Amino acid sequence: FAVFSGTNALGKGLGDDTDENEMNWEMDVGGVDTLVFLMIGRLDKLRNLCQTLISSSSSKETKNKKWDRETPCAIVQNSGRDNQRVWRSTLDQIVDDIQSDLSQTKTNAEDNAVLSVSPAIFVVGPTTRLNLLD
């Protein structure tokens, strides 16, 4: 597996909409089958990161089709705490699933726009299918 920081000390990082944060996922993570991103709880950044991973897999230059729309992934919020939550889905659906789940628990219509699940880690790959808490 490979671990990445989702945000640097200046608040910039993976998932930001800037060219300086682009990464060649085929070259940089090669044979790795699981990616772990720390500090990636903002859902706009998470959506951008998911789309970047999906796009890298659909590129004609990419030999590795590892990160497609159906790649399993999970968000772990408040890891190790009593209020820990885990969402499992696919790269294509994870943000929508989180927003849907959280908006159902809100009582005020103004709160339905969920912007963040921080503090959170994002795990991508087949290990997310395991439920190690049982």
Side-chain angles (χ1 to χ4, degrees):
F1 69 96
V3 179
F4 301 88
S5 176
T7 307
N8 67 21
L10 300 175
K12 302 289 182 189
L14 299 171
D16 282 337
D17 249 347
T18 62
D19 291 338
E20 68 188 45
N21 292 311
E22 285 187 21
M23 185 168 182
N24 180 340
W25 293 102
E26 169 66 16
M27 185 175 88
D28 293 337
V29 296
V32 172
D33 69 347
T34 300
L35 306 176
V36 178
F37 299 91
L38 309 175
M39 302 182 300
I40 192 76
R42 272 189 40 194
L43 296 183
D44 58 335
K45 289 185 176 194
L46 180 60
R47 187 179 302 278
N48 288 342
L49 178 57
C50 289
Q51 291 306 314
T52 299
L53 289 170
I54 293 167
S55 296
S56 74
S57 184
S58 61
S59 167
K60 289 183 180 179
E61 298 105 30
T62 304
K63 299 173 200 145
N64 183 353
K65 301 297 182 191
K66 193 178 300 186
W67 319 116
D68 65 16
R69 300 166 57 92
E70 297 302 315
T71 300
C73 60
I75 282 281
V76 182
Q77 179 188 44
N78 295 313
S79 180
R81 296 181 179 172
D82 290 340
N83 60 341
Q84 175 176 302
R85 293 186 74 173
V86 179
W87 291 272
R88 288 182 180 84
S89 190
T90 62
L91 283 177
D92 192 46
Q93 268 312 116
I94 188 77
V95 173
D96 292 336
D97 290 349
I98 292 169
Q99 287 178 321
S100 175
D101 179 48
L102 292 179
S103 68
Q104 291 175 12
T105 63
K106 299 285 185 183
T107 56
N108 185 340
E110 292 177 4
D111 291 335
N112 283 344
V114 178
L115 301 176
S116 177
V117 291
S118 293
I121 61 170
F122 179 47
V123 183
V124 179
T127 56
T128 62
R129 291 185 182 121
L130 304 174
N131 186 358
L132 302 175
L133 300 176
D134 289 341

